[in-house]
mmCIF file of all heavy atoms in Angstrom:
data_model
loop_
_atom_site.group_PDB
_atom_site.id
_atom_site.type_symbol
_atom_site.label_atom_id
_atom_site.label_comp_id
_atom_site.label_asym_id
_atom_site.label_seq_id
_atom_site.Cartn_x
_atom_site.Cartn_y
_atom_site.Cartn_z
ATOM 1 N N SER Q 2 -18.610 19.249 -14.354
ATOM 2 C CA SER Q 2 -17.926 18.306 -15.233
ATOM 3 C C SER Q 2 -18.870 17.589 -16.152
ATOM 4 O O SER Q 2 -18.444 17.011 -17.146
ATOM 5 C CB SER Q 2 -17.224 17.201 -14.362
ATOM 6 O OG SER Q 2 -18.176 16.459 -13.649
ATOM 7 N N GLY Q 3 -20.177 17.587 -15.817
ATOM 8 C CA GLY Q 3 -21.155 16.883 -16.601
ATOM 9 C C GLY Q 3 -21.415 15.448 -16.068
ATOM 10 O O GLY Q 3 -22.311 14.754 -16.568
ATOM 11 N N VAL Q 4 -20.624 15.015 -15.066
ATOM 12 C CA VAL Q 4 -20.857 13.768 -14.433
ATOM 13 C C VAL Q 4 -21.661 13.967 -13.136
ATOM 14 O O VAL Q 4 -21.276 14.798 -12.342
ATOM 15 C CB VAL Q 4 -19.465 13.071 -14.087
ATOM 16 C CG1 VAL Q 4 -19.733 11.774 -13.363
ATOM 17 C CG2 VAL Q 4 -18.650 12.889 -15.342
ATOM 18 N N THR Q 5 -22.713 13.249 -13.018
ATOM 19 C CA THR Q 5 -23.693 13.434 -11.898
ATOM 20 C C THR Q 5 -23.664 12.207 -11.011
ATOM 21 O O THR Q 5 -23.831 11.061 -11.485
ATOM 22 C CB THR Q 5 -25.074 13.659 -12.388
ATOM 23 O OG1 THR Q 5 -25.075 14.800 -13.267
ATOM 24 C CG2 THR Q 5 -26.029 13.979 -11.236
ATOM 25 N N GLN Q 6 -23.401 12.466 -9.755
ATOM 26 C CA GLN Q 6 -23.458 11.371 -8.744
ATOM 27 C C GLN Q 6 -24.548 11.634 -7.710
ATOM 28 O O GLN Q 6 -24.694 12.792 -7.244
ATOM 29 C CB GLN Q 6 -22.091 11.273 -8.030
ATOM 30 C CG GLN Q 6 -21.015 10.762 -8.897
ATOM 31 C CD GLN Q 6 -19.739 10.505 -8.079
ATOM 32 O OE1 GLN Q 6 -18.738 11.194 -8.256
ATOM 33 N NE2 GLN Q 6 -19.800 9.517 -7.209
ATOM 34 N N THR Q 7 -25.298 10.591 -7.394
ATOM 35 C CA THR Q 7 -26.296 10.707 -6.339
ATOM 36 C C THR Q 7 -26.255 9.479 -5.435
ATOM 37 O O THR Q 7 -25.884 8.417 -5.898
ATOM 38 C CB THR Q 7 -27.718 10.802 -6.966
ATOM 39 O OG1 THR Q 7 -27.943 9.660 -7.800
ATOM 40 C CG2 THR Q 7 -27.895 12.103 -7.747
ATOM 41 N N PRO Q 8 -26.560 9.663 -4.158
ATOM 42 C CA PRO Q 8 -26.806 10.919 -3.497
ATOM 43 C C PRO Q 8 -25.451 11.621 -3.201
ATOM 44 O O PRO Q 8 -24.429 11.013 -3.373
ATOM 45 C CB PRO Q 8 -27.514 10.532 -2.191
ATOM 46 C CG PRO Q 8 -26.887 9.176 -1.890
ATOM 47 C CD PRO Q 8 -26.660 8.493 -3.227
ATOM 48 N N LYS Q 9 -25.513 12.829 -2.729
ATOM 49 C CA LYS Q 9 -24.268 13.551 -2.340
ATOM 50 C C LYS Q 9 -23.755 13.093 -1.026
ATOM 51 O O LYS Q 9 -22.547 13.036 -0.769
ATOM 52 C CB LYS Q 9 -24.534 15.082 -2.337
ATOM 53 C CG LYS Q 9 -24.625 15.656 -3.720
ATOM 54 C CD LYS Q 9 -24.713 17.203 -3.660
ATOM 55 C CE LYS Q 9 -24.575 17.834 -4.991
ATOM 56 N NZ LYS Q 9 -25.456 17.240 -6.059
ATOM 57 N N HIS Q 10 -24.688 12.814 -0.103
ATOM 58 C CA HIS Q 10 -24.353 12.350 1.229
ATOM 59 C C HIS Q 10 -25.240 11.175 1.563
ATOM 60 O O HIS Q 10 -26.415 11.107 1.174
ATOM 61 C CB HIS Q 10 -24.600 13.476 2.280
ATOM 62 C CG HIS Q 10 -23.804 14.665 2.031
ATOM 63 N ND1 HIS Q 10 -22.533 14.880 2.454
ATOM 64 C CD2 HIS Q 10 -24.158 15.841 1.398
ATOM 65 C CE1 HIS Q 10 -22.075 16.057 2.066
ATOM 66 N NE2 HIS Q 10 -23.057 16.675 1.461
ATOM 67 N N LEU Q 11 -24.649 10.231 2.297
ATOM 68 C CA LEU Q 11 -25.362 9.036 2.719
ATOM 69 C C LEU Q 11 -24.857 8.604 4.079
ATOM 70 O O LEU Q 11 -23.652 8.449 4.270
ATOM 71 C CB LEU Q 11 -25.137 7.955 1.691
ATOM 72 C CG LEU Q 11 -26.023 6.739 1.678
ATOM 73 C CD1 LEU Q 11 -27.520 7.078 1.649
ATOM 74 C CD2 LEU Q 11 -25.691 5.871 0.412
ATOM 75 N N ILE Q 12 -25.783 8.458 5.031
ATOM 76 C CA ILE Q 12 -25.416 7.939 6.364
ATOM 77 C C ILE Q 12 -26.158 6.662 6.570
ATOM 78 O O ILE Q 12 -27.399 6.605 6.402
ATOM 79 C CB ILE Q 12 -25.751 8.962 7.463
ATOM 80 C CG1 ILE Q 12 -25.012 10.264 7.196
ATOM 81 C CG2 ILE Q 12 -25.370 8.416 8.834
ATOM 82 C CD1 ILE Q 12 -25.405 11.395 8.199
ATOM 83 N N THR Q 13 -25.456 5.579 6.952
ATOM 84 C CA THR Q 13 -26.119 4.297 7.112
ATOM 85 C C THR Q 13 -25.406 3.557 8.239
ATOM 86 O O THR Q 13 -24.338 3.953 8.668
ATOM 87 C CB THR Q 13 -26.113 3.514 5.772
ATOM 88 O OG1 THR Q 13 -26.971 2.345 5.956
ATOM 89 C CG2 THR Q 13 -24.698 3.060 5.496
ATOM 90 N N ALA Q 14 -26.033 2.440 8.645
ATOM 91 C CA ALA Q 14 -25.506 1.680 9.787
ATOM 92 C C ALA Q 14 -24.681 0.573 9.300
ATOM 93 O O ALA Q 14 -24.798 0.097 8.132
ATOM 94 C CB ALA Q 14 -26.685 1.201 10.656
ATOM 95 N N THR Q 15 -23.799 0.054 10.164
ATOM 96 C CA THR Q 15 -23.010 -1.141 9.814
ATOM 97 C C THR Q 15 -23.921 -2.318 9.459
ATOM 98 O O THR Q 15 -25.026 -2.414 9.983
ATOM 99 C CB THR Q 15 -22.094 -1.551 10.967
ATOM 100 O OG1 THR Q 15 -22.905 -1.724 12.135
ATOM 101 C CG2 THR Q 15 -21.024 -0.480 11.253
ATOM 102 N N GLY Q 16 -23.484 -3.089 8.513
ATOM 103 C CA GLY Q 16 -24.242 -4.238 8.083
ATOM 104 C C GLY Q 16 -25.217 -3.933 6.965
ATOM 105 O O GLY Q 16 -25.747 -4.928 6.385
ATOM 106 N N GLN Q 17 -25.489 -2.733 6.725
ATOM 107 C CA GLN Q 17 -26.470 -2.367 5.706
ATOM 108 C C GLN Q 17 -25.889 -2.400 4.305
ATOM 109 O O GLN Q 17 -24.657 -2.585 4.107
ATOM 110 C CB GLN Q 17 -27.027 -0.972 5.953
ATOM 111 C CG GLN Q 17 -27.831 -0.867 7.256
ATOM 112 C CD GLN Q 17 -29.016 -1.777 7.276
ATOM 113 O OE1 GLN Q 17 -29.869 -1.669 6.316
ATOM 114 N NE2 GLN Q 17 -29.144 -2.651 8.198
#
Side-chain angles (χ1 to χ4, degrees):
Chain Q
S2 67
V4 178
T5 304
Q6 290 188 246
T7 56
K9 286 187 171 46
H10 301 276
L11 194 52
I12 301 175
T13 190
T15 54
Q17 295 298 304

